[in-house]
Amino acid sequence: MRKFDFMGRKNTWFIISAVLITMAALAMLFKGIRPGIDFKGGTLLDLAFKNEITAADVRDVLREFDLSNSTIQQVETKEFLIRSKKLDQATQKEILAAFETKAKIEEIRYIQDVGPGWGEQVTRGALLALAASLATILIYITLRFEYKMAFSAVAALLHDVVITVGVYALLGREVTPNMIAGLLTILGYSLYDTIVVFHRILENTRALGKRRYLDMVSDSLNQVLARSINTSLTTIIPVFILLLFGGETLRDFALVLVVGIIAGTYSSIFIASPLFAIWKETEPRYAPSEV
Protein backbone atom coordinates (compact mmCIF):
# COMPACT_ATOMS: atom_id res chain seq x y z
CA MET A 1 0.00 0.00 0.00
CA ARG A 2 1.31 3.45 -0.95
CA LYS A 3 2.46 5.51 2.01
CA PHE A 4 1.33 9.09 2.35
CA ASP A 5 3.95 11.63 3.43
CA PHE A 6 1.96 13.35 6.19
CA MET A 7 4.91 15.12 7.77
CA GLY A 8 6.43 16.27 4.49
CA ARG A 9 3.26 18.30 3.87
CA LYS A 10 2.74 19.46 7.44
CA ASN A 11 2.98 23.14 6.49
CA THR A 12 0.13 22.61 4.04
CA TRP A 13 -2.08 21.16 6.80
CA PHE A 14 -1.23 24.08 9.09
CA ILE A 15 -2.07 26.61 6.36
CA ILE A 16 -5.42 24.90 5.70
CA SER A 17 -6.26 25.01 9.40
CA ALA A 18 -5.11 28.63 9.69
CA VAL A 19 -7.41 29.60 6.81
CA LEU A 20 -10.37 27.70 8.33
CA ILE A 21 -9.80 29.20 11.77
CA THR A 22 -9.48 32.70 10.29
CA MET A 23 -12.73 32.23 8.36
CA ALA A 24 -14.42 30.96 11.54
CA ALA A 25 -13.12 33.93 13.54
CA LEU A 26 -14.31 36.39 10.87
CA ALA A 27 -17.74 34.74 10.80
CA MET A 28 -18.00 35.05 14.59
CA LEU A 29 -16.72 38.64 14.49
CA PHE A 30 -18.88 40.00 11.66
CA LYS A 31 -21.95 37.74 11.66
CA GLY A 32 -21.85 37.14 15.39
CA ILE A 33 -23.05 34.25 17.48
CA ARG A 34 -26.82 34.34 17.78
CA PRO A 35 -28.00 33.29 21.22
CA GLY A 36 -31.26 31.34 21.08
CA ILE A 37 -34.39 32.10 23.01
CA ASP A 38 -33.17 29.85 25.83
CA PHE A 39 -30.25 32.23 26.40
CA LYS A 40 -31.83 35.65 25.90
CA GLY A 41 -35.46 34.97 26.83
CA GLY A 42 -38.61 35.46 24.75
CA THR A 43 -41.72 33.70 23.53
CA LEU A 44 -41.80 30.45 21.56
CA LEU A 45 -44.84 29.62 19.41
CA ASP A 46 -45.39 26.30 17.64
CA LEU A 47 -48.30 26.62 15.23
CA ALA A 48 -49.79 24.17 12.71
CA PHE A 49 -51.98 25.61 9.93
CA LYS A 50 -54.80 24.20 7.82
CA ASN A 51 -53.99 26.15 4.66
CA GLU A 52 -50.77 26.49 2.71
CA ILE A 53 -48.47 29.15 4.15
CA THR A 54 -44.83 30.02 3.62
CA ALA A 55 -42.17 31.40 5.93
CA ALA A 56 -42.45 34.70 4.06
CA ASP A 57 -46.20 34.77 4.77
CA VAL A 58 -45.53 34.12 8.46
CA ARG A 59 -43.01 36.95 8.54
CA ASP A 60 -45.49 39.31 6.81
CA VAL A 61 -47.99 38.64 9.61
CA LEU A 62 -45.35 39.20 12.28
CA ARG A 63 -44.26 42.43 10.58
CA GLU A 64 -47.65 43.93 11.46
CA PHE A 65 -46.62 43.59 15.11
CA ASP A 66 -43.07 44.87 14.57
CA LEU A 67 -41.73 41.31 14.97
CA SER A 68 -40.25 40.81 11.51
CA ASN A 69 -36.83 40.00 12.97
CA SER A 70 -38.21 36.92 14.76
CA THR A 71 -36.69 33.53 13.98
CA ILE A 72 -39.02 31.38 11.87
CA GLN A 73 -38.37 27.68 11.34
CA GLN A 74 -40.55 25.43 9.22
CA VAL A 75 -40.96 22.18 11.16
CA GLU A 76 -43.39 20.43 8.80
CA THR A 77 -45.13 21.51 5.57
CA LYS A 78 -47.73 23.56 7.44
CA GLU A 79 -46.11 23.85 10.87
CA PHE A 80 -43.85 26.69 11.98
CA LEU A 81 -41.77 27.37 15.05
CA ILE A 82 -41.57 31.08 15.84
CA ARG A 83 -39.07 32.56 18.30
CA SER A 84 -39.68 36.20 19.15
CA LYS A 85 -39.08 38.71 21.88
CA LYS A 86 -41.30 38.22 24.91
CA LEU A 87 -44.99 38.82 24.10
CA ASP A 88 -47.72 39.70 26.55
CA GLN A 89 -51.04 37.84 26.52
CA ALA A 90 -52.89 40.54 24.57
CA THR A 91 -50.29 40.62 21.79
CA GLN A 92 -50.29 36.82 21.60
CA LYS A 93 -54.07 36.82 21.05
CA GLU A 94 -53.78 39.48 18.33
CA ILE A 95 -51.07 37.51 16.53
CA LEU A 96 -53.07 34.30 16.69
CA ALA A 97 -56.11 36.13 15.31
CA ALA A 98 -54.01 37.45 12.42
CA PHE A 99 -52.71 33.94 11.63
CA GLU A 100 -56.25 32.56 11.83
CA THR A 101 -57.32 35.05 9.19
CA LYS A 102 -54.25 34.39 7.03
CA ALA A 103 -54.11 30.58 6.95
CA LYS A 104 -56.49 29.09 9.55
CA ILE A 105 -54.75 27.66 12.60
CA GLU A 106 -55.23 23.89 12.84
CA GLU A 107 -53.52 23.47 16.20
CA ILE A 108 -51.57 25.58 18.68
CA ARG A 109 -48.93 23.04 19.66
CA TYR A 110 -47.63 25.28 22.40
CA ILE A 111 -46.86 28.85 23.40
CA GLN A 112 -44.08 29.16 25.91
CA ASP A 113 -42.38 32.08 27.62
CA VAL A 114 -38.71 31.42 28.29
CA GLY A 115 -36.65 33.49 30.71
CA PRO A 116 -32.94 34.20 30.20
CA GLY A 117 -32.05 32.76 33.61
CA TRP A 118 -32.18 29.16 32.47
CA GLY A 119 -29.92 29.93 29.51
CA GLU A 120 -27.39 31.66 31.77
CA GLN A 121 -27.36 28.57 33.95
CA VAL A 122 -26.79 26.37 30.89
CA THR A 123 -23.98 28.67 29.68
CA ARG A 124 -22.21 28.57 33.04
CA GLY A 125 -22.61 24.79 33.19
CA ALA A 126 -21.29 24.37 29.63
CA LEU A 127 -18.23 26.59 30.24
CA LEU A 128 -17.52 24.76 33.50
CA ALA A 129 -17.88 21.40 31.74
CA LEU A 130 -15.55 22.57 28.94
CA ALA A 131 -12.89 23.80 31.37
CA ALA A 132 -13.16 20.65 33.51
CA SER A 133 -12.97 18.44 30.39
CA LEU A 134 -9.84 20.15 29.06
CA ALA A 135 -8.14 20.04 32.49
CA THR A 136 -8.98 16.35 32.94
CA ILE A 137 -7.75 15.57 29.43
CA LEU A 138 -4.46 17.36 30.10
CA ILE A 139 -3.92 15.44 33.35
CA TYR A 140 -4.94 12.04 31.94
CA ILE A 141 -2.85 12.20 28.76
CA THR A 142 0.12 13.58 30.70
CA LEU A 143 -0.03 10.67 33.14
CA ARG A 144 -0.84 8.02 30.52
CA PHE A 145 1.45 9.31 27.75
CA GLU A 146 3.28 12.63 28.21
CA TYR A 147 2.54 16.33 28.55
CA LYS A 148 3.55 17.18 24.96
CA MET A 149 0.89 14.80 23.69
CA ALA A 150 -1.60 16.33 26.14
CA PHE A 151 -1.10 19.91 24.94
CA SER A 152 -1.06 18.83 21.28
CA ALA A 153 -4.38 17.01 21.80
CA VAL A 154 -5.96 20.02 23.53
CA ALA A 155 -4.77 22.30 20.72
CA ALA A 156 -6.54 20.00 18.25
CA LEU A 157 -9.70 20.08 20.39
CA LEU A 158 -9.72 23.89 20.46
CA HIS A 159 -9.18 23.83 16.68
CA ASP A 160 -12.34 21.68 16.33
CA VAL A 161 -14.42 23.86 18.66
CA VAL A 162 -13.48 27.13 16.92
CA ILE A 163 -14.22 25.76 13.44
CA THR A 164 -17.54 24.24 14.55
CA VAL A 165 -18.72 27.45 16.25
CA GLY A 166 -17.54 29.41 13.19
CA VAL A 167 -19.65 27.26 10.86
CA TYR A 168 -22.60 27.87 13.16
CA ALA A 169 -22.03 31.63 12.99
CA LEU A 170 -21.57 31.51 9.21
CA LEU A 171 -24.88 29.68 8.75
CA GLY A 172 -26.63 32.12 11.08
CA ARG A 173 -27.87 29.30 13.32
CA GLU A 174 -28.94 30.12 16.83
CA VAL A 175 -27.02 28.75 19.79
CA THR A 176 -29.30 26.31 21.60
CA PRO A 177 -28.82 23.85 24.47
CA ASN A 178 -28.71 21.06 21.86
CA MET A 179 -25.83 22.85 20.13
CA ILE A 180 -23.93 23.10 23.44
CA ALA A 181 -24.52 19.40 24.13
CA GLY A 182 -23.25 18.53 20.66
CA LEU A 183 -20.16 20.69 21.13
CA LEU A 184 -19.22 18.84 24.32
CA THR A 185 -19.90 15.50 22.62
CA ILE A 186 -17.44 16.17 19.79
CA LEU A 187 -14.69 16.81 22.33
CA GLY A 188 -14.92 13.17 23.33
CA TYR A 189 -15.00 11.92 19.75
CA SER A 190 -12.08 14.06 18.60
CA LEU A 191 -10.02 13.01 21.59
CA TYR A 192 -10.75 9.31 20.99
CA ASP A 193 -9.37 9.55 17.45
CA THR A 194 -6.29 11.46 18.66
CA ILE A 195 -5.59 8.92 21.42
CA VAL A 196 -5.64 6.06 18.88
CA VAL A 197 -2.99 7.87 16.81
CA PHE A 198 -0.87 8.76 19.86
CA HIS A 199 -0.99 5.19 21.13
CA ARG A 200 0.46 3.93 17.84
CA ILE A 201 3.14 6.66 17.91
CA LEU A 202 4.09 5.61 21.44
CA GLU A 203 4.42 1.97 20.36
CA ASN A 204 6.55 2.87 17.36
CA THR A 205 8.78 5.20 19.40
CA ARG A 206 10.21 2.13 21.12
CA ALA A 207 11.38 0.86 17.71
CA LEU A 208 12.47 4.22 16.33
CA GLY A 209 15.94 3.08 15.32
CA LYS A 210 17.75 5.53 13.07
CA ARG A 211 14.60 6.95 11.57
CA ARG A 212 13.83 10.61 12.05
CA TYR A 213 11.02 11.16 14.57
CA LEU A 214 8.87 12.94 11.95
CA ASP A 215 9.21 9.95 9.62
CA MET A 216 8.18 7.54 12.39
CA VAL A 217 5.08 9.65 13.12
CA SER A 218 4.26 9.68 9.41
CA ASP A 219 4.55 5.85 9.34
CA SER A 220 2.31 5.64 12.41
CA LEU A 221 -0.36 7.77 10.73
CA ASN A 222 -0.26 5.54 7.66
CA GLN A 223 -0.80 2.51 9.91
CA VAL A 224 -3.96 3.95 11.52
CA LEU A 225 -5.28 5.91 8.53
CA ALA A 226 -7.67 3.21 7.28
CA ARG A 227 -9.00 2.67 10.80
CA SER A 228 -9.60 6.41 11.30
CA ILE A 229 -11.40 6.75 7.95
CA ASN A 230 -13.60 3.70 8.58
CA THR A 231 -14.45 4.81 12.12
CA SER A 232 -15.31 8.32 10.97
CA LEU A 233 -17.47 7.14 8.08
CA THR A 234 -19.45 4.68 10.20
CA THR A 235 -19.97 7.42 12.78
CA ILE A 236 -20.89 10.25 10.45
CA ILE A 237 -23.38 8.32 8.26
CA PRO A 238 -26.09 7.90 10.95
CA VAL A 239 -25.45 11.44 12.22
CA PHE A 240 -25.83 12.82 8.68
CA ILE A 241 -29.10 10.91 8.28
CA LEU A 242 -30.20 12.40 11.61
CA LEU A 243 -29.37 15.86 10.23
CA LEU A 244 -31.52 15.25 7.15
CA PHE A 245 -34.49 13.51 8.71
CA GLY A 246 -34.27 14.17 12.45
CA GLY A 247 -36.51 17.22 12.37
CA GLU A 248 -35.87 20.69 13.65
CA THR A 249 -35.53 19.62 17.28
CA LEU A 250 -32.50 17.40 16.61
CA ARG A 251 -31.02 19.44 13.75
CA ASP A 252 -28.81 21.62 15.96
CA PHE A 253 -27.33 18.59 17.70
CA ALA A 254 -26.78 16.72 14.42
CA LEU A 255 -25.20 19.73 12.65
CA VAL A 256 -22.64 20.19 15.43
CA LEU A 257 -21.79 16.49 15.32
CA VAL A 258 -21.35 16.42 11.53
CA VAL A 259 -19.03 19.45 11.50
CA GLY A 260 -17.24 18.31 14.68
CA ILE A 261 -16.60 14.76 13.47
CA ILE A 262 -15.12 16.03 10.19
CA ALA A 263 -12.97 18.61 12.01
CA GLY A 264 -11.98 16.08 14.69
CA THR A 265 -10.89 13.45 12.19
CA TYR A 266 -8.85 16.05 10.33
CA SER A 267 -7.23 17.53 13.43
CA SER A 268 -6.23 14.19 14.98
CA ILE A 269 -4.22 13.34 11.86
CA PHE A 270 -3.15 16.67 10.42
CA ILE A 271 -2.83 18.90 13.49
CA ALA A 272 -2.25 17.01 16.76
CA SER A 273 0.30 14.55 15.39
CA PRO A 274 2.46 17.05 13.43
CA LEU A 275 2.43 19.47 16.39
CA PHE A 276 3.59 16.71 18.71
CA ALA A 277 6.26 15.45 16.28
CA ILE A 278 7.71 18.94 15.75
CA TRP A 279 7.76 19.56 19.51
CA LYS A 280 9.33 16.15 20.16
CA GLU A 281 12.18 16.87 17.76
CA THR A 282 13.22 19.79 19.97
CA GLU A 283 14.47 17.19 22.46
CA PRO A 284 18.20 16.47 21.92
CA ARG A 285 17.51 12.72 21.90
CA TYR A 286 15.14 13.00 18.91
CA ALA A 287 16.66 16.01 17.16
CA PRO A 288 17.37 15.37 13.45
CA SER A 289 21.03 14.91 12.56
CA GLU A 290 22.70 17.73 10.61
CA VAL A 291 24.34 15.34 8.10
Side-chain angles (χ1 to χ4, degrees), residues 41-239:
T43 300
L44 184 64
L45 301 94
D46 189 347
L47 305 175
F49 297 94
K50 290 181 181 176
N51 301 333
E52 294 290 338
I53 186 170
T54 66
D57 295 330
V58 173
R59 195 171 298 283
D60 286 341
V61 171
L62 294 173
R63 187 172 289 111
E64 299 173 14
F65 301 90
D66 195 25
L67 297 171
S68 59
N69 60 348
S70 301
T71 300
I72 301 168
Q73 292 178 339
Q74 189 166 8
V75 181
E76 299 290 344
T77 307
K78 298 178 182 177
E79 182 182 353
F80 288 86
L81 203 61
I82 302 166
R83 296 179 173 89
S84 72
K85 64 183 182 182
K86 191 168 183 177
L87 306 173
D88 56 38
Q89 291 288 330
T91 306
Q92 289 179 20
K93 287 181 180 177
E94 291 176 9
I95 291 173
L96 292 176
F99 278 128
E100 178 67 23
T101 302
K102 182 74 177 180
K104 298 290 183 187
I105 297 176
E106 183 177 70
E107 182 183 359
I108 300 173
R109 299 288 166 82
Y110 59 83
I111 298 177
Q112 181 181 1
D113 287 331
V114 181
W118 187 78
E120 292 172 0
Q121 186 179 349
V122 171
T123 303
R124 283 196 299 271
L127 292 175
L128 181 62
L130 179 63
S133 299
L134 295 178
T136 306
I137 288 166
L138 279 172
I139 294 171
Y140 171 73
I141 300 180
T142 298
L143 295 176
R144 177 63 181 81
F145 297 97
E146 63 171 284
Y147 76 91
K148 290 177 181 174
M149 282 185 172
F151 281 96
S152 299
V154 168
L157 290 180
L158 293 176
H159 164 280
D160 302 340
V161 170
V162 170
I163 289 176
T164 304
V165 175
V167 169
Y168 236 74
L170 191 64
L171 295 178
R173 303 282 302 184
E174 287 188 340
V175 176
T176 65
N178 283 342
M179 183 266 190
I180 299 295
L183 206 58
L184 293 174
T185 302
I186 66 171
L187 293 182
Y189 176 82
S190 179
L191 183 65
Y192 168 78
D193 220 28
T194 303
I195 289 295
V196 169
V197 176
F198 281 174
H199 192 269
R200 181 56 58 92
I201 291 173
L202 190 64
E203 287 181 344
N204 289 339
T205 299
R206 302 187 186 103
L208 180 61
K210 294 184 178 180
R211 282 182 298 172
R212 186 177 168 179
Y213 203 88
L214 283 178
D215 295 333
M216 183 275 294
V217 171
S218 191
D219 291 342
S220 302
L221 288 171
N222 276 287
Q223 291 167 9
V224 301
L225 181 62
R227 184 183 189 281
S228 292
I229 292 174
N230 290 333
T231 303
S232 299
L233 284 177
T234 53
T235 304
I236 204 169
I237 287 173
V239 176

